[in-house]
Amino acid sequence: MPRKAPSQVRMDLPARIPALPERGVVPGVSAATLAAIARVEHRRFRRGDTYRSLRHWHRTVYQRGPWIIYPAADDGHGCCDSVGWCRGTLESICHLLPPRARRQLRAVINPLDERFLARTLNDPYAAPDDPWWRRRLTY
């Protein structure tokens, strides 16, 4: 009886759906900082909020298109604007971290902030008491 080729056996297998990670690892920070982030998330946020916020902030800053970007006011977060949500979450987490962990996380966030400032325009009609990331022009 002839055998099936290995490629045919693989094609007959059901497709695997990759599991989404519960908690992503923030690149560029130490294990102690990751532990501090996990403690903060356990107390005040959902598990993995730092990773998801950082990933979304990175995607917003490095989106394709012309050099000047206008971040969408609503990008799939339903009730709130996504730029304000992800950057606000990162800022809140930074305030709750111990100093050394805060420095390491800010070292990851600062280059993204600088690129966002360089690629967006100031909104002259924004409220002056808003955080700096909300005082940028959107769609």
Side-chain angles (χ1 to χ4, degrees), residues 27-101:
V29 298
S30 67
T33 300
L34 290 175
I37 289 171
R39 283 191 298 273
V40 167
E41 286 178 346
H42 180 71
R43 279 188 250 131
R44 295 267 180 106
F45 298 94
R46 289 183 328 190
R47 185 177 179 155
D49 270 354
T50 307
Y51 174 74
R52 280 189 297 275
S53 298
L54 188 63
R55 186 181 63 197
H56 191 281
W57 187 237
H58 186 274
R59 228 184 351 232
T60 300
V61 169
Y62 282 97
Q63 69 182 337
R64 290 182 155 187
W67 180 251
I68 300 298
I69 57 173
Y70 298 96
D74 181 19
D75 192 15
H77 288 285
C79 66
C80 57
D81 64 314
S82 61
V83 171
W85 176 81
C86 67
R87 188 57 183 88
T89 301
L90 290 172
E91 192 66 23
S92 298
I93 289 171
C94 280
H95 283 296
L96 297 171
L97 286 173
R100 179 175 286 166

Side-chain angles (χ1 to χ4, degrees), residues 70 117 120-126 132 134-138:
Y70 298 96
L117 281 170
T120 56
L121 300 172
N122 189 34
D123 184 2
Y125 301 109
W132 65 266
R134 289 187 188 233
R135 293 192 309 250
R136 311 306 286 175
L137 285 177
T138 59

